Amino acid sequence: MPSRFRSLFVCALLALASLLAACDRSVDKQLAEHAAAETTLGVTPKEFARRFNEKLPAVLAGMQVEEPEHMANLYRLDASRLHPGQYEYVLETKVGPSQTALLGTLNTKGELRAIGVLLTDRSQAARDEFLICADGAARSFIATAQDKLLPLITRLISIALNNPGQRMTEVVSDQLLSVEVTAQGLLFQLQPQQ
């Protein structure tokens, strides 16, 4: 009987081990599926900085700023100063004289999942800079009808300001643009449509 009990115990252990191994593979498979389904903007922060900087003169020209090429220097992102934020998968940087915050979330590969522009100052200069940054971020990922982006962003801002607590959204070229009033200020965000 003791050998029979031992055999039964060994069989039970083998069954438990195979069940645990199947669970581990199931969890690994679920994590892999989740990572594969995670949508991104398809660029690293440095690639975004390059795109953003290239679009600035056109953004400023669209806003009828004199000498847009020269003025673009005020708002350029310095790719060497891009750094993860306080948390591992968050990007934080500031641009322009009003120090407008550009925020991004990153996946584990370091690609941007979303990019945001945060307005915390109510001065006219800060509001203008916010619009420049929001339009520049949108133009960095949307190639069609770029002249219609600023009016769309302005409309979303107006609606969001009149409806605090609600997120106003619009899909353009498979990109989700959104504006909402948060505790920190007014947030414009761009991310892939899911």
Side-chain angles (χ1 to χ4, degrees), residues 12 39 43 48 80 82 85 103 117-118 130 163 176 178 183 194:
T39 58
V43 298
F48 167 68
S80 68
L82 296 179
L103 311 165
V117 181
L118 182 63
F130 172 80
N163 296 285
L176 179 68
S178 65
Q194 297 191 11

Side-chain angles (χ1 to χ4, degrees), residues 4-141:
R4 199 169 183 203
F5 178 72
R6 232 181 296 154
S7 297
L8 200 56
F9 182 71
V10 169
C11 287
L13 278 176
L14 288 173
L16 181 62
S18 66
L19 180 64
L20 289 174
C23 288
D24 283 345
R25 278 183 262 146
S26 172
V27 169
D28 289 343
K29 182 180 176 187
Q30 287 177 344
L31 289 172
E33 288 172 356
H34 176 71
E38 189 177 70
T39 58
T40 71
L41 293 167
V43 298
T44 65
K46 289 184 188 254
E47 292 166 334
F48 167 68
R50 182 188 53 76
R51 286 182 180 191
F52 181 83
N53 291 341
E54 287 174 358
K55 299 296 181 182
L56 280 173
V59 168
L60 293 166
M63 296 179 88
Q64 300 176 348
V65 171
E66 290 183 30
E67 300 181 46
E69 288 285 338
H70 176 69
M71 294 301 287
N73 292 323
L74 289 173
Y75 307 104
R76 292 200 192 283
L77 284 172
D78 182 355
S80 68
R81 295 186 66 201
L82 296 179
H83 57 86
Q86 181 179 359
Y87 303 100
E88 188 174 353
Y89 299 114
V90 177
L91 169 78
E92 297 179 78
T93 193
K94 295 188 183 228
V95 299
S98 297
Q99 292 294 284
T100 299
L102 270 74
L103 311 165
T105 54
L106 307 171
N107 69 3
T108 54
K109 295 179 185 176
E111 294 177 332
L112 282 168
R113 295 176 57 212
I115 191 74
V117 181
L118 182 63
L119 175 67
T120 57
D121 184 350
R122 294 181 181 252
S123 71
Q124 185 61 48
R127 289 188 301 224
D128 291 344
E129 191 169 284
F130 172 80
L131 286 173
I132 291 166
C133 292
D135 193 18
R139 287 180 186 226
S140 296
F141 297 100

